[in-house]
Amino acid sequence: MAVVAAAAGWLLRLRAAGAEGHWRRLPGAGLARGFLHPAATVEDAAQRRQVAHFTFQPDPEPREYALETQSPLPRNFEMGQTQKMNLFQSVTSALDNSLAKDPTAVIFGEDVAFGGVFRCTVGLRDKYGKDRVFNTPLCEQGIVGFGIGIAVTGATAIAEIQFADYIFPAFDQIVNEAAKYRYRSGDLFNCGSLTIRSPWGCVGHGALYHSQSPEAFFAHCPGIKVVIPRSPFQAKGLLLSCIEDKNPCIFFEPKILYRAAAEEVPIEPYNIPLSQAEVIQEGSDVTLVAWGTQVHVIREVASMAKEKLGVSCEVIDLRTIIPWDVDTICKSVIKTGRLLISHEAPLTGGFASEISSTVQEECFLNLEAPISRVCGYDTPFPHIFEPFYIPDKWKCYDALRKMINY
Amino acid sequence: MAVAIAAARVWRLNRGLSQAALLLLRQPGARGLARSHPPRQQQQFSSLDDKPQFPGASAEFIDKLEFIQPNVISGIPIYRVMDRQGQIINPSEDPHLPKEKVLKLYKSMTLLNTMDRILYESQRQGRISFYMTNYGEEGTHVGSAAALDNTDLVFGQYREAGVLMYRDYPLELFMAQCYGNISDLGKGRQMPVHYGCKERHFVTISSPLATQIPQAVGAAYAAKRANANRVVICYFGEGAASEGDAHAGFNFAATLECPIIFFCRNNGYAISTPTSEQYRGDGIARGPGYGIMSIRVDGNDVFAVYNATKEARRRAVAENQPFLIEAMTYRIGHHSTSDDSSAYRSVDEVNYWDKQDHPISRLRHYLLSQGWWDEEQEKAWRKQSRRKVMEAFEQAERKPKPNPNLLFSDVYQEMPAQLRKQQESLARHLQTYGEHYPLDHFDK
């Protein structure tokens, strides 16, 4: 994998001006001097780096979350002491909580020891020891297989795959082994205490191999859970639920939100239930469904719709891809009659097709318009063309407008 | 134990010696006598600055261009204790196992052999859908199983039923899994021979090859962390060793210092693919390339297998490092009931192994020479084991299959709402169309 190159790419920003300076210094670079122009005005520089296609919106107030298990704790709990954390810090906090309360828990993967290429594991090795937070060789199939083996003994395994784009060597271990361990053994064995975490989704310049959203590949695999948070607060609660869940889970972390998303997050552990979608904004005319970064895009689309069209949107964050919360989505569509689903992953075979198919089965007579899917194109994820590729707010807005006028 | 010393002599991997120097030590080859050490006379000219500083290898410089030639003509030697006639070669290597234990080894192998014959036949008669025999490899199973603690965790491939047999897995449960009947602990979900037993620490078999290897390493790591004094043993064939998962498992075990025994059954064939088409190096005892202590043994010599596994277990747990045992053997039977091996190998070749070098015969000769067994006992045991197998077989056949609701459970620990809906939909479907389904054979 080009992981080393990728990590280097992340850390280094080669500026055009610097490169030109090098050209000027070369003897006989007179010709080049004619070609190259120094970095011009601030405006030009801004155009060279694209503006993010979304604005992170933290949830308005701290939420109270019910604990789903038969725990003796009260149904709602206080947030307790919070701290401003971005997404990677909220992940670190969840991992810290996990290792603190579960002595069998270990974290492993490529480069996790020094803190990880996205700093999600900073400080954990010093705090918990090198037998609990450690690097593995560069081998995704080994990482997941190894993690399954730890989980089979009952210990908690938290595996990191450095980019979701590199999860495919582990596909056999995930689909043929982890997902089927309990079923095929008649529940004699299982690897429920395995969680795989991986950075996911577009990031502005990631191109083919640092931008993918592979949730659809795993949606087709009974036996695993796939979870994607939209914010630091959601990430910590969902990740803790994944780690404690008795089934193998894949937790995709929107990498573009690692630093861009920051909000108050409780320091103590808390759980957000899996397989429960969240209606983050109620509405009456259209249901908008997304997950991860795209939730913030559709939230903005909802505002645009309200402002320009007077349309009231119900915005739903799916949160768990499988097993997914059919009831919440259907209940919403029965109310609104219109559904728009949006994801970065390519259109064909993307998870929107599963949602669309189920909703038309369950809510056919309630639909006022065909279900709309606003997704990435059926191409690999491009580099320079990213602004054209992604399902941005304008494409979503346009699709919504067409649905309203259907 | 002499084994360890011999092994260490062949495979000394001290910190001081470089990999290159190690291979040079072993290779007489075309260049004549083995070179014993890198040229010393160069040292007097080199200052400290001239020594290699690379983080990636601990080695000396050399100024002569030489490719290291892999040696496959005279490869890693094969450790054995008995000759082909079951006579101990070097008395100091005889493990001197007590009579009961040796009889248990013998009876496990022969009972397995009997069960194999009957179940293979039952597939031919359409009673079960599929079967894989263990002919010729029984020694690898029981020799290694006998050297482990009962709580050591076993990850297998699919041709290790003798390990379960040695751990007293009842015939009833072997048959239940093959028939997928109501007594199957696996709840009828997998093809025959995909055994699993939590009580006996035998992880359920899965069909994809070599996937168990990195898993076994993870389990060993967890055992190390838990101070469990447990080893994990991972069985696989020489074909599965070509999979990426095998490479991954070896590398992880070495770098993460896991108490694991990798046990390769090199039986000459992966279905129809002979070893000459499976690898070009010197077999699967390729552990040193990963930094793993390795040995090659005569897999048809139960005592050799026992000794190697015993010592590997002791050291793996004591030193938290992996061991690789390559047990040379021969697959006397077809790959499975879906295979006819006469299509790719001669009957003569198969007969040689069956008649001249079989783990069961060799141990029988040993038993006879010890005066622990005789023809009468042999006849009585054959009759008894056959009867036991037939009884279990007839009972397994009579039992119903599990309730079709078990099609839906255990996908997750809890049944998701959507899956419950699908289960209900099948129930409704059967109410109307049930006559078209074999419901009579299934538990109500």
Side-chain angles (χ1 to χ4, degrees):
Chain A
M1 313 299 146
V3 167
V4 172
W10 284 110
L11 300 171
L12 300 171
R13 301 271 183 253
L14 286 175
R15 302 214 176 265
E20 288 163 27
H22 170 72
W23 274 108
R24 282 202 203 95
R25 282 193 291 278
L26 284 177
L31 209 70
R33 206 183 293 166
F35 265 172
L36 297 169
H37 303 287
T41 62
V42 171
E43 289 142 38
D44 284 345
Q47 274 162 23
R48 245 181 246 119
R49 292 278 310 280
Q50 69 187 73
V51 176
H53 67 290
F54 70 98
T55 309
F56 171 70
Q57 299 182 41
D59 294 318
E61 296 109 28
R63 299 290 180 103
E64 288 178 356
Y65 280 90
L67 297 173
E68 286 302 302
T69 63
Q70 286 105 14
S71 95
L73 294 171
R75 245 189 97 67
N76 291 320
F77 70 100
E78 299 265 315
M79 286 264 280
Q81 195 190 344
T82 67
Q83 191 179 306
K84 183 127 193 240
M85 297 186 204
N86 61 28
L87 189 76
F88 74 72
Q89 290 164 335
S90 72
V91 167
T92 314
S93 178
L95 297 174
D96 191 354
N97 292 154
S98 291
L99 264 57
K101 59 181 171 148
D102 178 353
T104 72
V106 292
I107 301 172
F108 51 92
E110 295 152 22
D111 303 296
V112 300
F114 88 103
V117 295
F118 290 110
R119 303 167 66 181
C120 293
T121 51
V122 168
L124 297 177
R125 185 175 168 96
D126 286 341
K127 188 166 177 185
Y128 294 103
K130 60 187 177 66
D131 60 318
R132 297 187 71 188
V133 181
F134 53 93
N135 292 338
T136 65
L138 208 168
C139 179
E140 287 76 11
Q141 67 193 102
I143 290 168
V144 174
F146 179 83
I148 291 171
I150 291 178
V152 166
T153 69
T156 298
I158 305 167
E160 177 178 302
I161 298 294
Q162 198 158 81
F163 285 86
D165 314 57
Y166 307 140
I167 202 166
F168 300 107
F171 202 71
D172 186 40
Q173 286 284 352
I174 293 169
V175 168
N176 267 335
E177 298 288 315
K180 297 171 168 62
Y181 231 89
R182 191 189 295 274
Y183 186 82
R184 74 187 186 200
S185 69
D187 200 18
L188 292 178
F189 298 94
N190 72 78
C191 58
S193 55
L194 169 67
T195 302
I196 300 166
R197 308 174 25 248
S198 191
W200 168 102
C202 78
V203 70
H205 56 278
L208 287 79
Y209 302 112
H210 299 83
S211 313
Q212 288 180 47
S213 313
E215 67 273 10
F217 292 103
F218 298 101
H220 195 56
C221 180
I224 52 170
K225 298 193 177 181
V226 177
V227 178
I228 307 175
R230 69 172 183 274
S231 73
F233 180 87
Q234 294 288 317
K236 176 165 168 168
L238 288 168
L239 178 55
L240 282 168
S241 293
C242 285
I243 292 169
E244 289 156 29
D245 195 271
K246 306 288 186 219
N247 303 286
C249 296
I250 302 178
F251 185 75
F252 286 126
E253 300 166 358
K255 63 178 83 69
I256 202 173
L257 298 180
Y258 273 144
R259 299 200 299 172
E263 59 186 347
E264 293 294 320
V265 178
I267 293 169
E268 290 306 307
Y270 58 97
N271 294 91
I272 294 178
L274 303 184
S275 293
Q276 274 192 28
E278 186 182 1
V279 178
I280 62 175
Q281 180 183 304
E282 285 183 15
S284 52
D285 301 329
V286 194
T287 302
L288 307 179
V289 177
W291 46 90
T293 317
Q294 200 66 8
V295 173
H296 304 291
V297 175
I298 62 170
R299 233 209 285 239
E300 201 174 335
V301 173
S303 304
M304 288 162 70
K306 186 83 192 158
E307 196 191 299
K308 299 182 205 265
L309 305 169
V311 163
S312 154
C313 296
E314 182 141 292
V315 180
I316 303 182
D317 176 5
L318 189 63
R319 302 200 294 196
T320 299
I321 306 300
I322 50 155
W324 67 283
D325 185 356
V326 176
D327 288 348
T328 298
I329 309 301
C330 286
K331 189 166 149 208
S332 175
V333 177
I334 287 167
K335 180 170 71 164
T336 64
R338 292 178 184 82
L339 175 61
L340 184 150
I341 314 153
S342 186
H343 57 62
E344 292 167 22
L347 178 72
T348 299
F351 198 65
S353 23
E354 163 64 26
I355 298 174
S356 175
S357 192
T358 301
V359 169
Q360 66 86 26
E361 275 170 12
E362 302 288 324
C363 313
F364 185 73
L365 293 174
N366 301 97
L367 289 170
E368 298 291 337
I371 298 171
S372 179
R373 297 179 291 159
V374 186
C375 305
Y377 299 115
D378 289 332
T379 71
F381 202 110
H383 180 238
I384 213 68
F385 309 113
E386 177 163 335
F388 302 96
Y389 172 90
I390 52 174
D392 61 20
K393 61 191 179 194
W394 301 111
K395 292 180 187 170
C396 293
Y397 174 74
D398 192 56
L400 188 153
R401 200 177 46 78
K402 290 188 168 112
M403 262 204 307
I404 294 295
N405 295 332
Y406 187 79
Chain B
M1 167 143 276
V3 172
I5 299 161
R9 207 185 309 127
V10 175
W11 288 115
R12 188 185 300 284
L13 266 180
N14 294 332
R15 297 275 175 258
L17 269 174
S18 70
Q19 298 281 46
L22 168 69
L23 285 152
L24 286 169
L25 271 173
R26 295 195 53 246
Q27 315 297 337
R31 289 176 285 101
L33 289 172
R35 301 179 58 172
S36 59
H37 56 77
R40 284 273 174 236
Q41 52 269 39
Q42 287 185 351
Q43 260 193 322
Q44 65 198 92
F45 299 114
S46 53
S47 68
L48 259 142
D49 296 337
D50 203 25
K51 290 216 170 298
Q53 301 295 321
F54 303 112
S58 156
E60 302 280 346
F61 281 124
I62 188 173
D63 59 12
K64 188 168 170 208
L65 176 64
E66 272 176 18
F67 287 97
I68 296 159
Q69 174 146 356
N71 190 341
V72 299
I73 308 298
S74 156
I76 299 162
I78 303 167
Y79 170 73
R80 67 173 182 171
V81 174
M82 292 187 279
D83 63 19
R84 292 191 184 92
Q85 287 73 43
Q87 303 309 307
I88 302 286
I89 296 165
N90 180 349
S92 68
E93 296 299 304
D94 184 344
H96 296 294
L97 296 178
K99 177 179 172 184
E100 303 73 50
K101 189 146 183 166
V102 184
L103 281 174
K104 185 174 162 70
L105 288 167
Y106 184 73
K107 287 187 174 179
S108 301
M109 290 198 287
T110 46
L111 187 60
L112 174 61
N113 191 275
T114 304
M115 183 180 82
D116 274 353
R117 286 175 201 283
I118 286 167
L119 285 176
Y120 185 91
E121 227 1 80
S122 82
Q123 192 278 341
R124 281 321 195 214
Q125 295 172 13
R127 296 165 188 264
I128 62 175
S129 62
F130 175 81
Y131 193 69
M132 298 177 99
T133 58
N134 301 272
Y135 303 145
E137 300 185 51
E138 299 92 342
T140 61
H141 307 172
V142 307
S144 51
L148 302 170
D149 284 5
N150 280 333
T151 53
D152 289 337
L153 194 57
V154 176
F155 284 80
Q157 179 168 304
Y158 53 56
R159 219 184 290 279
E160 295 90 13
V163 175
L164 268 176
M165 192 66 89
Y166 187 84
R167 286 189 174 179
D168 299 314
Y169 194 60
L171 291 171
E172 181 203 346
L173 290 181
F174 279 113
M175 307 271 180
Q177 198 283 324
C178 290
Y179 275 91
N181 69 28
I182 204 172
S183 300
D184 178 24
L185 300 176
K187 301 180 187 170
R189 285 152 185 174
Q190 293 213 82
M191 284 170 75
V193 311
H194 289 64
Y195 310 115
C197 183
K198 186 170 173 178
E199 224 177 287
R200 291 168 180 83
H201 311 283
F202 188 97
V203 180
T204 303
I205 300 298
S206 74
S207 305
L209 293 183
T211 48
Q212 74 276 16
I213 302 178
Q215 293 172 20
V217 177
Y221 188 86
K224 175 173 82 164
R225 279 212 72 236
N227 284 316
N229 275 324
R230 243 177 142 193
V231 88
V232 174
I233 189 164
C234 182
Y235 295 90
F236 53 95
E238 86 286 350
S242 294
E243 283 280 359
D245 272 344
H247 164 69
F250 297 158
N251 201 23
F252 276 54
T255 53
L256 301 173
E257 298 170 356
C258 301
I260 182 168
I261 301 172
F262 294 115
F263 194 104
C264 177
R265 294 176 292 96
N266 187 331
N267 63 13
Y269 291 89
I271 307 188
S272 70
T273 306
T275 54
S276 57
E277 291 171 13
Q278 195 65 250
Y279 54 78
R280 250 344 119 77
D282 179 18
I284 312 300
R286 49 178 76 131
Y290 294 93
I292 297 178
M293 299 284 294
S294 309
I295 192 169
R296 172 175 284 156
V297 305
D298 178 348
N300 291 351
D301 175 345
V302 178
F303 294 142
V305 172
Y306 176 86
N307 285 349
T309 308
K310 191 100 188 145
E311 180 63 2
R313 191 206 182 274
R314 185 186 71 78
R315 293 188 60 185
V317 172
E319 300 164 25
N320 282 319
Q321 66 166 316
F323 280 77
L324 171 54
I325 299 174
E326 184 184 18
M328 308 307 295
T329 179
Y330 187 84
R331 194 196 78 208
I332 290 175
H334 307 299
H335 165 70
S336 72
T337 48
S338 307
D339 177 45
D340 174 7
S341 61
S342 66
Y344 51 83
R345 61 182 183 176
S346 73
V347 173
D348 287 341
E349 179 186 303
V350 178
N351 273 333
Y352 166 79
W353 290 95
D354 197 24
K355 303 282 183 291
Q356 311 289 346
D357 191 345
H358 198 293
I360 292 175
S361 338
R362 285 165 76 177
L363 191 64
R364 183 168 57 244
H365 289 311
Y366 176 85
L367 281 170
L368 292 170
S369 69
Q370 295 288 102
W372 292 343
W373 198 247
D374 58 37
E375 272 313 305
E376 244 184 70
Q377 289 178 69
E378 175 72 22
K379 275 218 297 259
W381 170 241
R382 280 197 201 192
K383 213 166 141 192
Q384 186 194 5
S385 53
R386 199 184 150 75
R387 201 195 62 231
K388 275 162 67 138
V389 172
M390 288 308 298
E391 268 170 22
F393 169 79
E394 278 151 20
Q395 280 183 20
E397 221 170 59
R398 277 199 289 271
K399 287 181 187 167
K401 309 302 182 195
N403 188 298
N405 274 324
L406 290 178
L407 191 169
F408 294 99
S409 53
D410 303 323
V411 179
Y412 297 89
Q413 191 197 44
E414 70 291 342
M415 191 181 294
Q418 295 310 304
L419 189 54
R420 189 168 297 287
K421 283 196 192 155
Q422 292 175 12
Q423 180 181 46
E424 287 158 7
S425 126
L426 177 62
R428 281 193 303 273
H429 179 78
L430 291 174
Q431 273 169 7
T432 312
Y433 296 92
E435 62 183 296
H436 303 289
Y437 295 82
L439 281 167
D440 290 338
H441 299 126
F442 287 79
D443 190 41
K444 300 286 170 276

